[in-house]
Amino acid sequence: MTMDPKQVLQIFKEQGALLEGHFRLTSGLHSDRYLQCALVLQNPKHAAALGDALAARMRKLGDLPDFVIAPALGGILVAHEVARALGVRGIFAERQEGILKLRRGFTIGPGERGYVVEDVVTTGGSTRETMEVVLQAGGIVVAAGSLIDRSGGRTDLGVPRFALAVLDVPIYSPEECPLCKSGSQAIKPGSR
Ligand SMILES: [Zn+2]
């Protein structure tokens, strides 16, 4: 099943997952918009449809991957749904003392090929770290995918990259943030 970017963003809007305000992102950068993907993915019907659509895009690359991997927590459901659509295993990496690692007995065999997926790509930092986990385990990263790319398509990960919708949302360092300068305080969404 395919979904065009408008349909994808419509789902996010309907679910109240596209927030406006003054936010501190996971990367530490500030922005006036935030995507709360959990509000979309809490509905299994949307999670499955988005996973199907991303899987359909990525598998056009050719052979099926051996696995799909995401960084915890935000990416877990995306990896699960994409893996389900492809019929391969879905795993995740999680932080231990700040370092992203494979835990829970997950393994990647030498030469195994994987897709790295996320819910939202902002700077590509978490995707890059997850790619590193795959490479260190001896695996191969075939492609990277996300439900939303909010970098305006500018993030280069060195592998083919897929997103169901691309947003161009400005991000600011806290020192340069115009919202901070106007006296408002950034909030970290999802922490409540
Ligand atoms: Zn700010």
Side-chain angles (χ1 to χ4, degrees):
M1 195 181 58
T2 58
M3 248 198 255
D4 69 38
K6 271 194 185 138
Q7 287 173 293
V8 172
L9 292 175
Q10 187 58 34
I11 293 173
F12 274 74
K13 282 178 193 155
E14 280 169 13
Q15 301 300 312
L18 194 50
L19 312 179
E20 291 184 21
H22 180 193
F23 305 107
R24 182 161 55 85
L25 309 175
T26 311
S27 55
L29 300 169
H30 290 197
S31 180
D32 66 354
R33 260 168 291 172
Y34 186 80
L35 288 152
Q36 187 58 277
C37 283
L39 291 178
V40 170
L41 298 174
Q42 71 178 329
N43 184 328
K45 184 185 71 179
H46 291 321
L50 294 164
D52 281 348
L54 187 56
R57 292 268 203 95
M58 296 182 81
R59 73 174 302 172
K60 284 188 184 146
L61 279 173
D63 295 342
L64 282 179
D66 297 298
F67 64 92
V68 180
I69 184 171
L73 275 163
I76 293 177
L77 288 173
V78 180
H80 176 84
E81 290 297 337
V82 171
R84 191 183 50 75
L86 296 172
V88 302
R89 71 187 197 273
I91 60 177
F92 56 88
E94 59 197 303
R95 288 189 194 283
Q96 194 173 25
E97 282 148 23
I99 315 280
L100 214 50
K101 291 179 178 169
L102 286 179
R103 299 177 67 189
R104 300 172 197 276
F106 289 148
T107 56
I108 294 170
E112 276 200 314
R113 302 160 62 259
Y115 292 168
V116 175
V117 299
E118 271 212 80
D119 49 359
V120 180
V121 163
T122 303
T123 61
S126 314
T127 294
R128 266 188 215 99
E129 280 183 78
T130 311
M131 290 170 69
E132 198 53 43
V133 169
V134 175
L135 298 176
Q136 281 186 3
I140 297 161
V141 178
V142 181
S146 61
L147 301 182
I148 311 281
D149 169 7
R150 49 164 293 167
S151 78
R154 283 184 292 273
T155 300
D156 182 4
L157 296 166
V159 295
R161 203 155 81 75
F162 300 84
L164 295 180
V166 178
L167 289 177
D168 199 352
V169 183
I171 44 176
Y172 310 101
S173 68
E175 297 74 34
E176 290 171 341
C177 175
L179 300 159
C180 284
K181 281 183 180 153
S182 72
S184 104
Q185 202 159 20
I187 60 159
K188 191 169 190 302
S191 53
R192 283 179 292 167

